Amino acid sequence: MSALAVVRPGPLTTVQDLGRRGVAHLGVPRAGALDEPALRAANRLTGNDPDTAGLETTVGGVALRALGPLLLAVTGAPAPVRVDGRPAAWGAALAVPDGALVEVGAATHGVRSYLAVAGGIAVPPVLGSRSADLLSGLGPPPLAAGTVLPVGPPPAPRPRPELVPLPAPPTELVLRLHLGPRADWFEPGAVARLAGDRYRVAAASNRIALRTEGPPVDRARSGELPSEGMVLGAVQVPPDGRPVVFLADHPTTGGYPVVGVVPPADLAAAAQARPGTPLRFVLLRG
Amino acid sequence: MLAEVADTAQAGALYAWLSGLREAGELPAVAEIVPAARTVLLDGAEDVRALTALLATWRPAGGSGPEGPLVEVPTVYDGADLAEVAELWGVSPEAAVRIHTEPRYRVAFCGFAPGFGYLTGLPERYGVPRRATPRTSVPAGSVALAGPWTGVYPRSSPGGWQLLGRTGLTLWDTARDPAALLAPGVRVRFTAVRPG
């Protein structure tokens, strides 16, 4: 069986597929690739099914040794790719020989690059997914030097795209927002201002949530909200008033009011926005 | 879609009803059904209109839905906060243990961590505040109280609940089906046991 040996894990590299479904009632986050279109693209380039597990890097890249001849593709945040020290294409399928050193460098823009390998990262699934869930510790731990990741049998040959279009990482992050379910917990003026005010992506952002810096959203109601279920993209406002946009590793229930929900289509850009990126919310009606 | 009901018992009843419909193949497709304190979240509904129409036909009945399985939780009552909780209740630690082992609990919902169940059943007058400063590490198996809830930590984690004792049961095991011992709807009884 082929495999990938981790030479340098980078600051944070995890195994991700499209995540866990149907277990939120047990307190299990969905996890999965934060930039889902980028993982899907890498899988298309290597002929994999869309839900095949690949690697998600964070800013600093990863270095791997191919154990067996492999077909790879790197997408997501643009980064220099090298095979045995020679520059190779980002966003395209690469055939690498047995023993080759594959390096994904630091992202030149954006945050998260995705590396897919034909056959997928074949670690054992947990509750139907191979994703690492950093909130609850399910799935494989973040990569460490020396880890050997098994690679599954390559899929039957099928037509593969040569290139896949991906949006550039945002210089300004614009997140649409459906108000509710607890918008009435906030001052009406504060909710209206949320759309006009300037925010920035905070450094404390991670796979659990995109944190923001900016003017606080003031509450109209004090007191505690009993815990309730939360969806991907829920924008919760803790007592400090700074909106928190929940991403893939979000807790399944929460006790602070959710002022609105960002549609899933906008979250890939949120996954690629670096700390300090200007952020605006655009209110959706209805 | 977030369905809001009057109280935790109704949320449990609605969750049980929806789960029953799903098992019978009579629920429009949804990705997740997540019960909570006073709500049931229906996430990933393919046909929101059909689901809304169905929810409108639900009538809250008495009780909190069908009886789930009963799980006995043998507990050594030697928690770091047992004396403080007893003092809050104005009783001896021995009486506090009797108060905690008396009710038949029910898992209202999960959250905070995989397999962490929020258990109802303790009479309202025994509600206790969370600790002012959460502990950085609460051992796995800790039996704890906060607000009206009782819970058991499935794994070691930070936590602000008041610790009454500990159990040797495995609360969460992904190699087991179901992975969560205390899933929504499960009935629970705590029994006091000696360390050993």
Side-chain angles (χ1 to χ4, degrees):
Chain A
M1 196 185 210
S2 300
L4 284 165
V6 180
V7 178
R8 281 195 312 277
L12 175 67
T13 304
T14 58
V15 178
Q16 297 295 338
D17 53 24
L18 298 184
R20 298 184 175 83
R21 295 295 196 279
V23 279
H25 64 290
L26 301 180
V28 177
R30 61 193 287 144
L34 237 52
D35 184 345
E36 196 178 297
L39 176 66
R40 287 175 181 274
N43 276 329
R44 276 203 304 283
L45 287 166
T46 49
N48 288 332
D49 288 333
D51 197 17
T52 304
L55 299 180
E56 177 184 282
T57 69
T58 313
V59 183
V62 65
L64 307 155
R65 178 82 59 193
L67 305 180
L70 296 171
L71 184 72
L72 307 170
V74 179
T75 62
V81 179
R82 288 176 178 271
V83 177
D84 282 333
R86 284 187 293 279
W90 172 93
L94 306 171
V96 305
D98 183 19
L101 178 67
V102 178
E103 293 172 281
V104 179
T108 54
H109 317 281
V111 177
R112 295 174 171 94
S113 303
Y114 291 83
L115 184 148
V117 52
I121 306 292
V123 295
V126 175
L127 296 173
S129 165
R130 296 181 165 87
S131 282
D133 163 3
L134 300 187
L135 181 67
S136 52
L138 296 181
L143 265 51
T147 303
V148 175
L149 299 165
V151 171
R158 63 178 93 176
R160 293 194 314 262
E162 301 260 312
L163 291 167
V164 287
L166 284 171
T171 50
E172 182 193 39
L173 181 61
V174 178
L175 298 177
R176 291 171 295 161
L177 188 68
H178 285 287
L179 285 185
R182 300 293 172 198
D184 59 341
W185 277 59
F186 300 91
E187 298 284 354
V191 173
R193 275 201 310 280
L194 184 61
D197 278 332
R198 301 296 183 199
Y199 287 87
R200 281 182 184 279
V201 175
S205 301
N206 56 19
R207 283 188 43 86
I208 299 167
L210 181 115
R211 271 102 184 168
T212 66
E213 289 164 355
V217 183
D218 294 326
R219 286 213 346 209
R221 294 174 60 168
S222 55
E224 284 187 37
L225 178 73
S227 278
E228 58 191 23
M230 277 202 302
V231 300
L232 182 70
V235 180
Q236 196 185 62
V237 182
D240 72 4
R242 261 77 186 194
V244 172
V245 184
F246 279 107
L247 303 178
D249 289 1
H250 73 85
T252 64
T253 61
Y256 297 128
V258 169
V259 67
V261 177
V262 174
D266 293 8
L267 296 177
Q272 298 295 2
R274 292 192 170 189
T277 303
L279 162 64
R280 277 191 302 132
F281 291 100
V282 174
L283 297 192
L284 290 169
R285 300 287 162 198
Chain B
M1 187 187 302
L2 194 65
E4 194 158 18
V5 293
D7 55 30
T8 303
Q10 279 197 15
L14 177 57
Y15 172 72
W17 182 70
L18 290 167
S19 303
L21 285 177
R22 179 148 76 170
E23 266 170 45
E26 290 164 13
L27 187 70
V30 294
E32 307 280 0
I33 310 175
V34 188
R38 275 181 224 159
T39 56
V40 177
L41 172 72
L42 293 145
D43 189 17
E46 283 175 18
D47 187 344
V48 171
R49 189 172 296 186
L51 202 54
T52 309
L54 179 71
L55 282 168
T57 67
W58 182 67
R59 293 285 172 274
S64 43
E67 291 262 315
L70 178 69
V71 171
E72 291 261 351
V73 180
T75 302
V76 178
Y77 281 92
D78 61 357
D81 304 322
L82 178 63
E84 203 174 314
V85 169
E87 204 175 308
L88 283 168
W89 290 348
V91 300
S92 67
E94 295 73 28
V97 172
R98 282 197 297 276
I99 288 167
H100 191 252
T101 50
E102 178 63 25
R104 174 83 73 89
Y105 296 86
R106 184 174 183 285
V107 183
F109 63 98
C110 290
F112 172 66
F116 186 93
Y118 288 73
L119 278 60
T120 59
L122 197 66
E124 213 169 292
R125 63 182 179 281
Y126 295 123
V128 295
R130 284 178 171 74
R131 293 188 62 77
T133 308
R135 289 187 170 85
T136 53
S137 180
V138 173
S142 293
V143 173
L145 296 180
W149 309 105
T150 288
V152 189
Y153 284 80
R155 63 174 191 145
S156 172
S157 68
W161 290 35
Q162 310 272 5
L163 307 185
L164 290 188
R166 59 197 156 91
T167 179
L169 287 184
T170 301
L171 277 298
W172 174 255
D173 180 359
T174 53
R176 184 175 64 193
D177 188 19
L181 191 64
L182 304 186
V186 168
R187 313 272 155 167
V188 181
R189 192 184 277 287
F190 292 92
T191 51
V193 297
R194 290 175 187 287

Short mmCIF file of all heavy atoms in Angstrom, two decimals, chain B residues 90-146:
data_model
loop_
_atom_site.label_atom_id
_atom_site.label_comp_id
_atom_site.label_asym_id
_atom_site.label_seq_id
_atom_site.Cartn_x
_atom_site.Cartn_y
_atom_site.Cartn_z
N GLY B 90 -27.69 23.48 52.46
CA GLY B 90 -27.97 23.52 53.89
C GLY B 90 -28.13 22.14 54.51
O GLY B 90 -28.95 21.94 55.43
N VAL B 91 -27.39 21.16 53.98
CA VAL B 91 -27.48 19.79 54.51
C VAL B 91 -26.06 19.23 54.71
O VAL B 91 -25.08 19.84 54.29
CB VAL B 91 -28.27 18.86 53.55
CG1 VAL B 91 -29.69 19.37 53.34
CG2 VAL B 91 -27.54 18.72 52.20
N SER B 92 -25.99 18.03 55.30
CA SER B 92 -24.69 17.36 55.45
C SER B 92 -24.29 16.76 54.10
O SER B 92 -25.14 16.53 53.24
CB SER B 92 -24.81 16.24 56.48
OG SER B 92 -25.65 15.23 55.95
N PRO B 93 -22.99 16.48 53.90
CA PRO B 93 -22.56 15.82 52.66
C PRO B 93 -23.29 14.50 52.44
O PRO B 93 -23.66 14.18 51.28
CB PRO B 93 -21.06 15.60 52.88
CG PRO B 93 -20.65 16.69 53.81
CD PRO B 93 -21.82 16.90 54.73
N GLU B 94 -23.55 13.74 53.52
CA GLU B 94 -24.26 12.46 53.36
C GLU B 94 -25.67 12.70 52.83
O GLU B 94 -26.16 11.98 51.94
CB GLU B 94 -24.34 11.71 54.71
CG GLU B 94 -23.01 11.25 55.28
CD GLU B 94 -22.14 12.39 55.83
OE1 GLU B 94 -22.70 13.42 56.28
OE2 GLU B 94 -20.91 12.27 55.77
N ALA B 95 -26.33 13.74 53.35
CA ALA B 95 -27.69 14.05 52.89
C ALA B 95 -27.65 14.55 51.44
O ALA B 95 -28.56 14.26 50.66
CB ALA B 95 -28.32 15.10 53.80
N ALA B 96 -26.57 15.29 51.08
CA ALA B 96 -26.46 15.77 49.70
C ALA B 96 -26.37 14.59 48.73
O ALA B 96 -26.96 14.61 47.65
CB ALA B 96 -25.22 16.66 49.56
N VAL B 97 -25.66 13.54 49.14
CA VAL B 97 -25.56 12.34 48.29
C VAL B 97 -26.94 11.71 48.13
O VAL B 97 -27.34 11.31 47.03
CB VAL B 97 -24.55 11.33 48.89
CG1 VAL B 97 -24.59 10.01 48.12
CG2 VAL B 97 -23.14 11.92 48.88
N ARG B 98 -27.70 11.65 49.25
CA ARG B 98 -29.06 11.08 49.16
C ARG B 98 -29.93 11.92 48.22
O ARG B 98 -30.70 11.37 47.42
CB ARG B 98 -29.69 11.00 50.56
CG ARG B 98 -29.16 9.82 51.38
CD ARG B 98 -30.07 9.51 52.56
NE ARG B 98 -30.16 10.62 53.52
CZ ARG B 98 -29.27 10.84 54.50
NH1 ARG B 98 -28.23 10.04 54.65
NH2 ARG B 98 -29.41 11.85 55.34
N ILE B 99 -29.78 13.25 48.31
CA ILE B 99 -30.58 14.13 47.44
C ILE B 99 -30.25 13.85 45.97
O ILE B 99 -31.12 13.80 45.11
CB ILE B 99 -30.32 15.62 47.79
CG1 ILE B 99 -30.98 15.95 49.14
CG2 ILE B 99 -30.83 16.55 46.69
CD1 ILE B 99 -30.53 17.29 49.73
N HIS B 100 -28.94 13.64 45.69
CA HIS B 100 -28.54 13.46 44.29
C HIS B 100 -28.87 12.08 43.74
O HIS B 100 -29.09 11.92 42.53
CB HIS B 100 -27.03 13.74 44.12
CG HIS B 100 -26.61 13.83 42.68
ND1 HIS B 100 -25.87 12.86 42.04
CD2 HIS B 100 -26.86 14.78 41.74
CE1 HIS B 100 -25.67 13.22 40.79
NE2 HIS B 100 -26.26 14.38 40.57
N THR B 101 -28.92 11.06 44.61
CA THR B 101 -29.19 9.70 44.12
C THR B 101 -30.69 9.41 44.07
O THR B 101 -31.10 8.38 43.54
CB THR B 101 -28.50 8.64 45.01
OG1 THR B 101 -28.83 8.91 46.37
CG2 THR B 101 -27.00 8.67 44.84
N GLU B 102 -31.50 10.31 44.62
CA GLU B 102 -32.95 10.06 44.70
C GLU B 102 -33.66 10.13 43.34
O GLU B 102 -34.41 9.22 43.00
CB GLU B 102 -33.57 11.09 45.69
CG GLU B 102 -35.07 11.01 45.84
CD GLU B 102 -35.56 9.68 46.42
OE1 GLU B 102 -34.77 9.02 47.13
OE2 GLU B 102 -36.71 9.32 46.16
N PRO B 103 -33.43 11.20 42.53
CA PRO B 103 -34.27 11.35 41.33
C PRO B 103 -33.94 10.35 40.22
O PRO B 103 -32.84 9.83 40.14
CB PRO B 103 -33.94 12.77 40.83
CG PRO B 103 -33.15 13.42 41.90
CD PRO B 103 -32.50 12.33 42.70
N ARG B 104 -34.94 10.11 39.38
CA ARG B 104 -34.72 9.44 38.09
C ARG B 104 -34.48 10.57 37.09
O ARG B 104 -35.34 11.39 36.84
CB ARG B 104 -35.97 8.65 37.72
CG ARG B 104 -35.93 8.02 36.34
CD ARG B 104 -35.20 6.70 36.34
NE ARG B 104 -35.98 5.65 36.97
CZ ARG B 104 -36.86 4.87 36.31
NH1 ARG B 104 -37.08 5.05 35.03
NH2 ARG B 104 -37.52 3.93 36.94
N TYR B 105 -33.26 10.61 36.53
CA TYR B 105 -32.89 11.68 35.60
C TYR B 105 -33.22 11.28 34.17
O TYR B 105 -33.49 10.12 33.87
CB TYR B 105 -31.40 11.99 35.70
CG TYR B 105 -30.96 12.53 37.05
CD1 TYR B 105 -30.62 11.66 38.09
CD2 TYR B 105 -30.88 13.89 37.27
CE1 TYR B 105 -30.22 12.15 39.33
CE2 TYR B 105 -30.46 14.40 38.50
CZ TYR B 105 -30.14 13.51 39.53
OH TYR B 105 -29.75 14.01 40.74
N ARG B 106 -33.11 12.27 33.30
CA ARG B 106 -33.34 12.04 31.87
C ARG B 106 -32.37 12.93 31.10
O ARG B 106 -32.19 14.09 31.45
CB ARG B 106 -34.78 12.43 31.53
CG ARG B 106 -35.17 12.15 30.13
CD ARG B 106 -36.67 12.44 29.93
NE ARG B 106 -37.01 12.09 28.57
CZ ARG B 106 -36.68 12.82 27.53
NH1 ARG B 106 -36.04 13.96 27.69
NH2 ARG B 106 -37.00 12.43 26.32
N VAL B 107 -31.74 12.39 30.06
CA VAL B 107 -30.82 13.19 29.23
C VAL B 107 -31.67 14.08 28.33
O VAL B 107 -32.37 13.59 27.44
CB VAL B 107 -29.89 12.31 28.38
CG1 VAL B 107 -28.92 13.20 27.59
CG2 VAL B 107 -29.14 11.32 29.25
N ALA B 108 -31.63 15.40 28.59
CA ALA B 108 -32.42 16.33 27.78
C ALA B 108 -31.73 16.59 26.46
O ALA B 108 -32.36 16.62 25.41
CB ALA B 108 -32.62 17.64 28.53
N PHE B 109 -30.42 16.80 26.50
CA PHE B 109 -29.67 17.06 25.26
C PHE B 109 -28.20 16.89 25.54
O PHE B 109 -27.78 16.75 26.69
CB PHE B 109 -29.98 18.45 24.70
CG PHE B 109 -29.58 19.61 25.59
CD1 PHE B 109 -28.38 20.29 25.38
CD2 PHE B 109 -30.40 20.03 26.63
CE1 PHE B 109 -28.03 21.36 26.18
CE2 PHE B 109 -30.05 21.11 27.44
CZ PHE B 109 -28.85 21.77 27.21
N CYS B 110 -27.40 16.88 24.45
CA CYS B 110 -25.94 16.79 24.57
C CYS B 110 -25.33 18.09 24.06
O CYS B 110 -25.96 18.85 23.33
CB CYS B 110 -25.39 15.63 23.76
SG CYS B 110 -25.81 14.01 24.46
N GLY B 111 -24.09 18.33 24.41
CA GLY B 111 -23.37 19.51 23.95
C GLY B 111 -22.11 19.64 24.75
O GLY B 111 -21.81 18.77 25.58
N PHE B 112 -21.37 20.70 24.53
CA PHE B 112 -20.11 20.99 25.23
C PHE B 112 -19.00 20.06 24.75
O PHE B 112 -17.92 20.51 24.39
CB PHE B 112 -20.30 20.92 26.75
CG PHE B 112 -19.02 21.02 27.54
CD1 PHE B 112 -18.28 22.19 27.52
CD2 PHE B 112 -18.54 19.94 28.26
CE1 PHE B 112 -17.09 22.28 28.23
CE2 PHE B 112 -17.35 20.03 28.97
CZ PHE B 112 -16.62 21.21 28.96
N ALA B 113 -19.27 18.75 24.73
CA ALA B 113 -18.28 17.78 24.24
C ALA B 113 -19.07 16.55 23.79
O ALA B 113 -20.18 16.34 24.25
CB ALA B 113 -17.32 17.40 25.36
N PRO B 114 -18.50 15.73 22.88
CA PRO B 114 -19.22 14.53 22.47
C PRO B 114 -19.58 13.67 23.68
O PRO B 114 -18.73 13.38 24.52
CB PRO B 114 -18.20 13.81 21.58
CG PRO B 114 -17.33 14.89 21.04
CD PRO B 114 -17.24 15.89 22.16
N GLY B 115 -20.85 13.32 23.79
CA GLY B 115 -21.30 12.45 24.86
C GLY B 115 -21.53 13.14 26.19
O GLY B 115 -21.82 12.47 27.18
N PHE B 116 -21.42 14.49 26.23
CA PHE B 116 -21.74 15.19 27.48
C PHE B 116 -23.24 15.46 27.48
O PHE B 116 -23.74 16.28 26.71
CB PHE B 116 -20.96 16.51 27.59
CG PHE B 116 -21.14 17.20 28.92
CD1 PHE B 116 -20.24 16.98 29.94
CD2 PHE B 116 -22.21 18.06 29.15
CE1 PHE B 116 -20.39 17.60 31.18
CE2 PHE B 116 -22.38 18.68 30.38
CZ PHE B 116 -21.48 18.45 31.40
N GLY B 117 -23.97 14.75 28.35
CA GLY B 117 -25.42 14.90 28.42
C GLY B 117 -25.83 15.88 29.51
O GLY B 117 -25.22 15.91 30.58
N TYR B 118 -26.84 16.70 29.19
CA TYR B 118 -27.44 17.59 30.19
C TYR B 118 -28.63 16.85 30.77
O TYR B 118 -29.61 16.58 30.07
CB TYR B 118 -27.88 18.90 29.54
CG TYR B 118 -26.73 19.80 29.15
CD1 TYR B 118 -25.93 19.50 28.05
CD2 TYR B 118 -26.44 20.96 29.86
CE1 TYR B 118 -24.87 20.31 27.68
CE2 TYR B 118 -25.38 21.78 29.51
CZ TYR B 118 -24.61 21.46 28.41
OH TYR B 118 -23.56 22.27 28.05
N LEU B 119 -28.55 16.48 32.06
CA LEU B 119 -29.57 15.64 32.70
C LEU B 119 -30.53 16.50 33.52
O LEU B 119 -30.09 17.29 34.36
CB LEU B 119 -28.91 14.61 33.63
CG LEU B 119 -28.35 13.33 33.00
CD1 LEU B 119 -27.27 13.63 31.98
CD2 LEU B 119 -27.81 12.41 34.07
N THR B 120 -31.82 16.29 33.29
CA THR B 120 -32.83 16.95 34.12
C THR B 120 -33.33 15.95 35.14
O THR B 120 -33.22 14.74 34.95
CB THR B 120 -34.04 17.42 33.29
OG1 THR B 120 -34.60 16.28 32.65
CG2 THR B 120 -33.64 18.44 32.27
N GLY B 121 -33.92 16.44 36.22
CA GLY B 121 -34.52 15.57 37.22
C GLY B 121 -34.28 16.06 38.63
O GLY B 121 -35.06 15.75 39.54
N LEU B 122 -33.21 16.82 38.84
CA LEU B 122 -32.95 17.35 40.18
C LEU B 122 -33.98 18.45 40.46
O LEU B 122 -34.17 19.33 39.61
CB LEU B 122 -31.52 17.92 40.24
CG LEU B 122 -30.95 18.16 41.63
CD1 LEU B 122 -30.75 16.83 42.37
CD2 LEU B 122 -29.62 18.91 41.55
N PRO B 123 -34.69 18.37 41.61
CA PRO B 123 -35.67 19.43 41.89
C PRO B 123 -35.05 20.82 41.78
O PRO B 123 -33.88 21.02 42.13
CB PRO B 123 -36.12 19.12 43.32
CG PRO B 123 -35.88 17.65 43.48
CD PRO B 123 -34.66 17.34 42.66
N GLU B 124 -35.84 21.76 41.29
CA GLU B 124 -35.37 23.11 40.98
C GLU B 124 -34.65 23.78 42.15
O GLU B 124 -33.68 24.50 41.95
CB GLU B 124 -36.58 23.95 40.57
CG GLU B 124 -36.31 25.00 39.53
CD GLU B 124 -37.62 25.58 39.01
OE1 GLU B 124 -38.37 24.85 38.32
OE2 GLU B 124 -37.89 26.74 39.33
N ARG B 125 -35.13 23.50 43.39
CA ARG B 125 -34.54 24.21 44.54
C ARG B 125 -33.10 23.81 44.80
O ARG B 125 -32.40 24.47 45.55
CB ARG B 125 -35.38 23.95 45.80
CG ARG B 125 -35.43 22.50 46.25
CD ARG B 125 -36.32 22.36 47.48
NE ARG B 125 -36.43 20.99 47.96
CZ ARG B 125 -37.22 20.05 47.43
NH1 ARG B 125 -37.95 20.34 46.35
NH2 ARG B 125 -37.27 18.84 47.94
N TYR B 126 -32.62 22.76 44.15
CA TYR B 126 -31.23 22.33 44.35
C TYR B 126 -30.27 22.86 43.27
O TYR B 126 -29.13 22.42 43.18
CB TYR B 126 -31.15 20.80 44.42
CG TYR B 126 -31.86 20.22 45.61
CD1 TYR B 126 -32.87 19.27 45.46
CD2 TYR B 126 -31.54 20.64 46.91
CE1 TYR B 126 -33.54 18.75 46.55
CE2 TYR B 126 -32.22 20.13 48.01
CZ TYR B 126 -33.21 19.19 47.82
OH TYR B 126 -33.86 18.68 48.91
N GLY B 127 -30.76 23.78 42.45
CA GLY B 127 -29.88 24.38 41.44
C GLY B 127 -28.70 25.08 42.10
O GLY B 127 -28.84 25.69 43.15
N VAL B 128 -27.51 24.95 41.50
CA VAL B 128 -26.31 25.60 42.05
C VAL B 128 -25.62 26.40 40.94
O VAL B 128 -25.72 26.05 39.78
CB VAL B 128 -25.29 24.57 42.61
CG1 VAL B 128 -25.87 23.83 43.81
CG2 VAL B 128 -24.84 23.58 41.54
N PRO B 129 -24.93 27.49 41.33
CA PRO B 129 -24.21 28.26 40.30
C PRO B 129 -22.98 27.51 39.80
O PRO B 129 -22.48 26.62 40.49
CB PRO B 129 -23.79 29.53 41.05
CG PRO B 129 -23.75 29.13 42.49
CD PRO B 129 -24.77 28.06 42.67
N ARG B 130 -22.53 27.88 38.61
CA ARG B 130 -21.23 27.38 38.14
C ARG B 130 -20.14 27.96 39.03
O ARG B 130 -20.34 28.98 39.67
CB ARG B 130 -20.97 27.84 36.70
CG ARG B 130 -21.74 27.09 35.67
CD ARG B 130 -21.45 27.65 34.28
NE ARG B 130 -22.00 26.82 33.24
CZ ARG B 130 -23.30 26.74 32.94
NH1 ARG B 130 -24.19 27.46 33.61
NH2 ARG B 130 -23.72 25.95 31.97
N ARG B 131 -18.98 27.34 39.04
CA ARG B 131 -17.86 27.87 39.81
C ARG B 131 -17.41 29.20 39.20
O ARG B 131 -17.43 29.38 37.99
CB ARG B 131 -16.69 26.89 39.80
CG ARG B 131 -16.99 25.60 40.56
CD ARG B 131 -15.77 24.75 40.68
NE ARG B 131 -14.71 25.42 41.43
CZ ARG B 131 -14.68 25.53 42.75
NH1 ARG B 131 -15.65 25.04 43.49
NH2 ARG B 131 -13.68 26.15 43.34
N ALA B 132 -17.03 30.15 40.07
CA ALA B 132 -16.64 31.48 39.60
C ALA B 132 -15.43 31.36 38.65
O ALA B 132 -15.35 32.04 37.63
CB ALA B 132 -16.30 32.37 40.79
N THR B 133 -14.50 30.50 38.98
CA THR B 133 -13.33 30.26 38.12
C THR B 133 -13.35 28.80 37.67
O THR B 133 -13.23 27.90 38.50
CB THR B 133 -12.03 30.53 38.89
OG1 THR B 133 -12.12 31.82 39.49
CG2 THR B 133 -10.83 30.46 37.99
N PRO B 134 -13.53 28.56 36.36
CA PRO B 134 -13.55 27.17 35.90
C PRO B 134 -12.21 26.48 36.17
O PRO B 134 -11.16 27.12 36.17
CB PRO B 134 -13.79 27.29 34.39
CG PRO B 134 -14.30 28.66 34.17
CD PRO B 134 -13.73 29.52 35.27
N ARG B 135 -12.27 25.17 36.41
CA ARG B 135 -11.03 24.40 36.54
C ARG B 135 -10.42 24.21 35.15
O ARG B 135 -11.14 24.04 34.17
CB ARG B 135 -11.34 23.02 37.15
CG ARG B 135 -11.73 23.08 38.59
CD ARG B 135 -11.86 21.67 39.19
NE ARG B 135 -12.00 21.74 40.64
CZ ARG B 135 -13.18 21.92 41.26
NH1 ARG B 135 -14.28 22.02 40.54
NH2 ARG B 135 -13.23 22.00 42.57
N THR B 136 -9.08 24.20 35.10
CA THR B 136 -8.43 24.01 33.80
C THR B 136 -8.52 22.56 33.37
O THR B 136 -8.47 22.25 32.19
CB THR B 136 -6.95 24.43 33.85
OG1 THR B 136 -6.34 23.75 34.96
CG2 THR B 136 -6.82 25.93 34.06
N SER B 137 -8.69 21.65 34.34
CA SER B 137 -8.81 20.24 33.98
C SER B 137 -9.73 19.52 34.95
O SER B 137 -9.46 19.48 36.15
CB SER B 137 -7.43 19.58 33.96
OG SER B 137 -7.57 18.22 33.62
N VAL B 138 -10.80 18.97 34.41
CA VAL B 138 -11.73 18.15 35.19
C VAL B 138 -11.54 16.72 34.72
O VAL B 138 -11.58 16.46 33.51
CB VAL B 138 -13.18 18.61 34.96
CG1 VAL B 138 -14.16 17.66 35.62
CG2 VAL B 138 -13.38 20.03 35.46
N PRO B 139 -11.30 15.76 35.64
CA PRO B 139 -11.02 14.39 35.19
C PRO B 139 -12.23 13.74 34.51
O PRO B 139 -13.38 14.05 34.84
CB PRO B 139 -10.69 13.65 36.49
CG PRO B 139 -10.54 14.67 37.56
CD PRO B 139 -11.24 15.91 37.11
N ALA B 140 -11.95 12.85 33.56
CA ALA B 140 -13.01 12.08 32.90
C ALA B 140 -13.79 11.31 33.95
O ALA B 140 -13.23 10.82 34.93
CB ALA B 140 -12.39 11.12 31.89
N GLY B 141 -15.11 11.20 33.77
CA GLY B 141 -15.96 10.47 34.69
C GLY B 141 -16.47 11.31 35.85
O GLY B 141 -17.23 10.80 36.69
N SER B 142 -16.08 12.59 35.92
CA SER B 142 -16.55 13.44 37.02
C SER B 142 -18.05 13.66 36.92
O SER B 142 -18.57 13.99 35.85
CB SER B 142 -15.84 14.80 36.98
OG SER B 142 -14.46 14.63 37.27
N VAL B 143 -18.74 13.47 38.04
CA VAL B 143 -20.19 13.71 38.13
C VAL B 143 -20.36 15.11 38.71
O VAL B 143 -19.80 15.41 39.77
CB VAL B 143 -20.86 12.66 39.03
CG1 VAL B 143 -22.33 12.99 39.26
CG2 VAL B 143 -20.71 11.27 38.41
N ALA B 144 -21.09 15.97 37.99
CA ALA B 144 -21.06 17.39 38.33
C ALA B 144 -22.43 18.04 38.19
O ALA B 144 -23.34 17.49 37.57
CB ALA B 144 -20.06 18.10 37.43
N LEU B 145 -22.56 19.21 38.81
CA LEU B 145 -23.81 19.99 38.80
C LEU B 145 -23.53 21.41 38.31
O LEU B 145 -22.49 21.97 38.62
CB LEU B 145 -24.36 20.15 40.21
CG LEU B 145 -24.81 18.94 41.01
CD1 LEU B 145 -25.31 19.43 42.36
CD2 LEU B 145 -25.92 18.21 40.27
N ALA B 146 -24.53 21.99 37.61
CA ALA B 146 -24.51 23.43 37.30
C ALA B 146 -25.92 23.84 36.95
O ALA B 146 -26.58 23.15 36.17
CB ALA B 146 -23.57 23.72 36.14
#
